[in-house]
């Protein structure tokens, strides 16, 4: 589907949704040069682009050749992109509808409140990942001794995936509520274009979050748990 010898602008002609991935890596979307000249790890990026376009094409084994640092770098870039780009854009769209609606303000207030709760759970999820999962993943990537891993687990980080997964579940519950209330809201003709923009923003955000979750749940978390388990077995 996608190749490293294709340029960012050429790839965007195939799928405009890839723009968000390029932006978090600081890639010029108008660049006519091949992707492998624009980013340090183009083959990793190609796998991410494939996953965003077609989640069914994701193959965990394709990520075996990439380091934990590659995965964590992508996830951290995504956290920053969500917090400083996607979430503010959605908030702006909600506020614009509120400022220009003649009816349905009650539903819009509910949508705003649910989205704020969604963001709260999402940011808690990010914090848990960055303090626990990412810390251990990067430590293991440096191939520490078993003692280093055990010390990290006991004294610095308690690796509890159920906490991380709980925040994910809470986030998706709020996402479902948002979809429900957005379907109830009926904008006036003058606001329909802004309403459609909000729907598109929410749909793209949901697809991006699903990609983010797949990289964590299918690739990084199993790898970290298996490596920690292996180190523990070696020490016994």
């Amino acid at each position: 589907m996608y190749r490293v010898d294709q340029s960012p602008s050429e790839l965007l002609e195939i799928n405009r949704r890839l723009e968000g991935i390029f932006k978090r890596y600081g890639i010029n979307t108008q660049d006519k040069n091949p992707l492998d000249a624009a980013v340090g790890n183009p083959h990793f990026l190609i796998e991410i682009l494939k996953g965003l376009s077609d989640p069914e094409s994701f193959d965990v084994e394709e990520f075996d050749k990439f380091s934990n640092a590659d995965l964590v770098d992508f996830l951290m870039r995504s956290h920053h992109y969500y917090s400083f780009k996607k979430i503010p854009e959605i908030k702006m769209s909600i506020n614009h509808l509120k400022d220009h609606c003649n009816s349905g303000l009650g539903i819009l207030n509910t949508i705003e409140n649910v989205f704020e709760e969604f963001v709260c759970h999402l940011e808690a999820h990010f914090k848990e990942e960055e303090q626990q999962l990412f810390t251990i993943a990067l430590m293991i990537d440096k191939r520490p001794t078993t003692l280093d891993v055990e010390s990290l687990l006991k004294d610095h980080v308690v690796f509890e995936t159920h906490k991380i997964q709980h925040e994910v579940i809470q986030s998706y519950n709020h996402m479902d509520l948002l979809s429900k209330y957005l379907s109830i809201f009926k904008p006036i003709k003058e606001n329909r274009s802004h309403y459609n923009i909000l729907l598109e923003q929410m749909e793209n955000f949901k697809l991006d979050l699903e990609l983010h979750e797949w990289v964590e749940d299918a690739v990084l978390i199993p790898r970290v748990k298996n490596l920690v388990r292996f180190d523990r077995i070696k020490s016994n």
Side-chain angles (χ1 to χ4, degrees), residues 217-229:
D217 292 353
V219 184
L220 188 58
I221 288 178
R223 182 187 295 185
V224 168
K225 292 176 78 171
N226 286 338
L227 286 171
V228 170
R229 187 180 301 114

Side-chain angles (χ1 to χ4, degrees), residues 49-153:
L49 297 178
K50 285 163 56 178
L52 182 62
S53 300
D54 180 16
E56 297 298 323
S57 71
F58 253 137
D59 184 353
V60 174
E61 293 183 358
E62 289 294 329
F63 285 81
D64 288 346
K65 55 183 175 285
F66 305 121
S67 68
N68 287 348
D70 292 326
L71 300 170
V72 170
D73 178 61
F74 167 71
L75 295 170
M76 285 291 293
R77 287 175 184 270
S78 296
H79 288 184
H80 188 273
Y81 180 69
Y82 300 153
S83 296
F84 294 98
K85 176 69 173 174
K86 301 298 290 184
I87 291 172
E89 285 180 346
I90 292 173
K91 286 183 176 180
M92 188 179 300
S93 293
I94 294 173
N95 286 330
H96 184 90
L97 283 174
K98 286 182 62 180
D99 290 341
H100 295 84
C101 77
N102 295 323
S103 62
L105 184 59
I107 294 178
L108 285 174
N109 284 333
T110 300
I111 290 172
E112 183 179 45
N113 292 336
V114 172
F115 186 70
E116 290 292 345
E117 292 178 9
F118 162 75
V119 170
C120 181
H121 285 288
L122 193 64
E123 290 178 343
H125 169 64
F126 292 166
K127 184 177 180 180
E128 292 286 349
E129 286 181 335
E130 292 169 9
Q131 292 181 345
Q132 299 186 34
L133 177 61
F134 296 174
T135 302
I136 297 178
L138 293 175
M139 178 70 87
I140 291 174
D141 223 22
K142 296 176 182 178
R143 302 310 306 163
T145 64
T146 299
L147 179 62
D148 288 332
V149 174
E150 291 295 333
S151 176
L152 182 70
L153 288 168

Side-chain angles (χ1 to χ4, degrees), residues 89-102 108 111 182 185-203:
E89 285 180 346
I90 292 173
K91 286 183 176 180
M92 188 179 300
S93 293
I94 294 173
N95 286 330
H96 184 90
L97 283 174
K98 286 182 62 180
D99 290 341
H100 295 84
C101 77
N102 295 323
L108 285 174
I111 290 172
L182 282 169
F185 177 68
K186 304 300 180 184
I188 59 175
K189 183 179 179 180
E190 291 77 5
N191 283 338
R192 181 156 293 278
S193 61
H194 296 292
Y195 173 70
N196 289 335
I197 289 172
L198 176 58
L199 290 179
E200 183 177 5
Q201 288 173 330
M202 291 298 300
E203 178 62 20

Side-chain angles (χ1 to χ4, degrees), residues 170-183:
Q170 290 297 318
S171 295
Y172 276 107
N173 287 343
H174 285 87
M175 185 70 83
D176 291 339
L177 273 177
L178 282 168
S179 297
K180 173 184 175 182
Y181 288 123
L182 282 169
S183 67

